[in-house]
Amino acid sequence: MNMEGLRLLIVDDEPDIVDMLAYNFEQEKMHVYKAHSGKEALDQANKHKPDVVLLDVMLPDFDGIEVCERMRKIEALEDTIIIFLSARGEDYSQVAGYKAGADDYVVKPVRVKILKHKISVLLQRFSGKKTAVDTNITVDKEKFTVFHQGQEQIIPKKEFELLALLLSSPEKVFRRDEILSTVWGDTIIGDRTIDVHVRKLRERFGDQVIQTVKGVGYKYCDA
């Protein structure tokens, strides 16, 4: 996904890391802002309303976990993508990061090419409005709920993300590689995983909801 013009806030108390990341993302023509402490991060976030935050866990005043929790309470940042960058790779540290509201957790040393890909996938996954609607199905991306013909349904996460993607552009044919990248990211899955999830969605919402375009992919049919 093109990142040109998007706002990126980099938060780390090591200037070399901040400058290295800033240089790489400025090459993508992003607007880059820098912070070296928790307080500065919150000030910059409130001021610039970043689309993406790269956030270190260990900061000199208060840690990145608290920064993330505070950011998630700011209404203007509710759709901001937050990715932790940390030398701490323990399971409990990563779990704490996700519980605080992070969208991803990357263990240092950072591989910039992989980080760019992760950001691109997350941006594509969360792009658009939080709600996609047609006459039969309403998808709320924040609550992970689906309303079908007025009835609320809670479905597994990957089925939900696949449905939301297809609903984002009714009648558009989504190629299999695009679906894999957007819904599953870097996760290695079997060749038939998409087909299995499509079959489950058809069982829930009817055979005509998702149409197979042979040799290409799938599309949502606006009934």
Side-chain angles (χ1 to χ4, degrees), residues 4-219:
E4 181 177 351
L6 295 178
R7 300 178 299 276
L8 170 67
L9 173 61
I10 303 170
V11 186
D12 200 300
D13 62 343
E14 297 185 44
D16 290 347
I17 292 178
V18 173
D19 291 342
M20 179 273 291
L21 291 171
Y23 171 80
N24 278 276
F25 284 100
E26 283 167 352
Q27 302 308 301
E28 302 290 337
K29 298 184 179 179
M30 298 181 78
H31 301 295
V32 178
Y33 308 99
K34 305 175 184 179
H36 302 285
S37 68
K39 181 181 183 305
E40 189 178 2
L42 292 170
D43 290 342
Q44 292 278 47
N46 276 301
K47 180 179 180 180
H48 298 293
K49 310 298 187 295
D51 300 291
V52 181
V53 176
L54 300 179
L55 178 60
D56 189 17
V57 172
M58 300 178 68
L59 295 170
D61 45 3
F62 48 92
D63 66 28
I65 301 296
E66 184 175 350
V67 173
C68 183
E69 289 174 341
R70 292 192 188 187
M71 284 185 177
R72 285 303 185 214
K73 293 178 182 179
I74 300 172
E75 184 175 355
L77 303 179
E78 65 180 41
D79 295 324
T80 295
I81 291 170
I82 300 177
I83 300 175
F84 276 114
L85 305 180
S86 177
R88 302 183 62 172
E90 309 94 343
D91 288 351
Y92 67 84
S93 295
Q94 297 189 44
V95 169
Y98 285 115
K99 284 185 176 180
D103 297 294
D104 207 340
Y105 192 110
V106 177
V107 178
K108 295 178 180 178
V110 177
R111 298 168 62 188
V112 175
K113 185 175 181 180
I114 298 299
L115 181 58
K116 285 183 178 182
H117 177 70
K118 284 178 174 287
I119 291 173
S120 180
V121 169
L122 286 167
L123 286 167
Q124 189 171 3
R125 187 175 298 173
F126 298 132
S127 63
K129 302 294 184 181
K130 74 172 184 177
T131 304
V133 180
D134 83 344
T135 55
N136 294 310
I137 299 177
T138 301
V139 173
D140 190 318
K141 293 184 179 180
E142 287 188 345
K143 297 179 179 178
F144 277 90
T145 54
V146 179
F147 284 87
H148 180 229
Q149 297 178 341
Q151 299 296 314
E152 181 178 4
Q153 296 193 33
I154 298 176
I155 65 178
K157 183 179 179 182
K158 291 305 178 186
E159 287 182 41
F160 178 91
E161 292 178 350
L162 174 57
L163 178 62
L165 174 64
L166 297 175
L167 263 171
S168 67
S169 295
E171 301 299 332
K172 171 186 172 180
V173 179
F174 286 87
R175 303 180 67 89
R176 294 178 67 88
D177 57 354
E178 183 179 1
I179 294 172
L180 284 171
S181 175
T182 303
V183 177
W184 280 273
D186 295 327
T187 304
I188 298 174
I189 63 173
D191 292 339
R192 306 300 296 175
T193 300
I194 295 176
D195 305 321
V196 170
H197 283 70
V198 167
R199 176 176 56 78
K200 290 180 179 179
L201 288 172
R202 286 171 172 161
E203 289 173 354
R204 294 178 188 278
F205 304 114
D207 291 341
Q208 302 306 312
V209 169
I210 300 173
Q211 180 179 334
T212 302
V213 180
K214 290 186 177 180
V216 183
Y218 296 97
K219 70 175 182 177

